[in-house]
Amino acid sequence: MHKQMNLYAFTNIMASNEKLGYHSQNEGDTGSDPSTSNIDDSVVRHKSTRYYLPKILEPSIFGFQPTSDITRAVGDFLYNHIGKENVEIEAKLGILVDKNLHTRVNLPVAQHRNFNNLLNERVIQTKPPYKGNPVEYKHLYETDRFYSGTGVGKVRVTIDQKTNKVIDGGIVKKSNVAHLNIYSPNTHLDYRISVNIEKPMEMPNGQVVYERNKDRLSYIHQLFKIDLTQVRGPEKQKLFDGTQPPADLTHELEVEFLNPQVLLEEKLKIEKQQSNRYLEIIDVFLNNIRTLAKRSLPPQ
């Protein structure tokens, strides 16, 4: 772990005995029975020993629940890479594949259908009279056009296919800051957490060097959105017999922060040694990823 993560404070975790319903006796009286004010009616007795089941169990002998290793690892990773403007934080689920030492994340088409049904059902489940936070749904049809210019590198322009206009914030130069590949042996999908910079750019001049079309289902819940996307690559050249081969079709499942600034603000609180919710946010981010991974289908 990185040293700067020692700034993490177990804030608001320690719970008092009084809150848990325990009422201690005199500190010097160590031989008397514990108070039974918070003891369940069913008391198991075996000879002279009593076994009590408290109404509420403390999470540990020290009164707090330790941060899980995966939450700490992801928290460390993001902590050291999000101190930049125009940052993007996302996790892509799929099967990690090493092709010529370039690791990719592939999502089988069967998983796409599975998650489409699963997430659509969740939208319905969270409609009134559901009392929790609802899941909002959007269906987007977009085209990404990539331009390459001298001195600026590759610029992506995203067009709304319905209006044929550039979407809000749709002209960016995207660069990767860091990847964290996580293998999940107990589920059928792995995941990669990425930190990227999406720098706003002006409309580029020149030729389009690459184009792709995206059919995206976006599910928004609390601080995150889950994007289920079918990506169609550019048309291929016709074969010698005049037939047109199909364009490459890939599928993506991503969990992304709607506004990474929320996490950055909690990081700043850590640096100021203030009470913060940094790890709570990381936990919810990972809960979304792991819940999806656990709902994935076994290999066909």
Side-chain angles (χ1 to χ4, degrees):
M1 295 301 139
H2 303 281
K3 290 183 179 179
Q4 49 263 60
M5 298 306 291
N6 292 334
L7 292 171
Y8 286 168
F10 291 107
T11 54
N12 302 323
I13 299 180
M14 295 291 288
S16 66
N17 284 343
E18 182 177 359
K19 181 179 179 180
L20 293 175
Y22 289 102
H23 300 278
S24 61
Q25 302 172 29
N26 296 332
E27 292 183 2
D29 185 2
T30 60
S32 57
D33 291 337
S35 169
T36 58
S37 60
N38 71 324
I39 303 303
D40 191 273
D41 292 335
S42 59
V43 178
V44 180
R45 301 175 184 272
H46 179 67
K47 295 183 179 180
S48 60
T49 305
R50 294 183 180 181
Y51 297 89
Y52 300 102
L53 177 62
K55 291 181 179 178
I56 300 177
L57 289 172
E58 289 186 337
S60 72
I61 192 172
F62 299 104
F64 64 86
Q65 182 170 332
T67 304
S68 72
D69 292 342
I70 185 65
T71 299
R72 177 69 67 179
V74 173
D76 282 5
F77 169 75
L78 293 178
Y79 187 94
N80 293 312
H81 291 106
I82 63 172
K84 303 174 179 66
E85 294 183 348
N86 306 312
V87 68
E88 176 195 54
I89 304 172
E90 64 181 4
K92 180 177 290 187
L93 289 90
I95 301 172
L96 286 168
V97 180
D98 185 357
K99 290 189 176 181
N100 299 323
L101 301 180
H102 295 285
T103 305
R104 298 180 177 181
V105 181
N106 295 330
L107 184 73
V109 62
Q111 298 288 10
H112 186 112
R113 291 192 293 265
N114 171 54
F115 287 117
N116 186 194
N117 294 332
L118 178 69
L119 292 167
N120 284 346
E121 183 179 354
R122 190 59 186 153
V123 171
I124 296 172
Q125 291 171 345
T126 61
K127 289 183 176 182
Y130 181 75
K131 301 300 182 182
N133 293 304
V135 177
E136 300 177 4
Y137 163 86
K138 292 181 180 179
H139 196 164
L140 306 172
Y141 297 91
E142 298 173 340
T143 297
D144 287 339
R145 294 173 183 159
F146 294 89
Y147 295 76
S148 184
T150 304
V152 297
K154 187 180 291 185
V155 176
R156 186 188 70 201
V157 179
T158 302
I159 308 293
D160 185 329
Q161 293 180 10
K162 292 183 178 180
T163 64
N164 203 32
K165 295 181 179 180
V166 178
I167 67 172
D168 185 32
I171 307 177
V172 299
K173 178 182 178 182
K174 183 172 180 176
S175 57
N176 175 249
V177 176
H179 286 313
L180 180 64
N181 292 325
I182 299 178
Y183 294 90
S184 181
N186 293 326
T187 66
H188 304 298
L189 294 180
D190 308 306
Y191 48 100
R192 166 189 285 167
I193 297 175
S194 300
V195 178
N196 306 304
I197 298 296
E198 292 192 332
K199 181 181 178 181
M201 303 291 288
E202 297 294 330
M203 186 68 189
N205 298 317
Q207 297 292 323
V208 176
V209 296
Y210 180 77
E211 181 175 297
R212 66 186 182 189
N213 294 298
K214 299 184 298 187
D215 180 353
R216 170 167 289 173
L217 303 167
S218 192
Y219 303 86
I220 300 169
H221 182 253
Q222 300 187 127
L223 302 177
F224 309 96
K225 67 171 182 172
I226 297 171
D227 289 335
L228 185 61
T229 310
Q230 180 176 271
V231 183
R232 185 178 298 274
E235 290 187 359
K236 298 180 179 180
Q237 292 184 346
K238 291 184 178 180
L239 301 176
F240 67 92
D241 60 358
T243 58
Q244 180 72 54
D248 291 332
L249 194 64
T250 59
H251 303 270
E252 298 176 353
L253 177 62
E254 298 167 309
V255 180
E256 183 176 339
F257 275 76
L258 287 170
N259 183 6
Q261 185 66 27
V262 173
L263 189 65
L264 180 58
E265 290 175 358
E266 296 306 304
K267 174 188 173 180
L268 295 176
K269 291 178 183 178
I270 293 173
E271 295 175 350
K272 296 176 182 178
Q273 299 186 13
Q274 297 176 350
S275 176
N276 64 86
R277 302 175 69 185
Y278 182 87
L279 290 179
E280 179 186 354
I281 296 172
I282 298 297
D283 255 337
V284 177
F285 178 50
L286 285 171
N287 286 345
N288 282 317
I289 298 168
R290 290 180 292 192
T291 301
L292 290 167
K294 289 180 181 295
R295 299 290 188 91
S296 59
L297 296 174
Q300 299 289 316

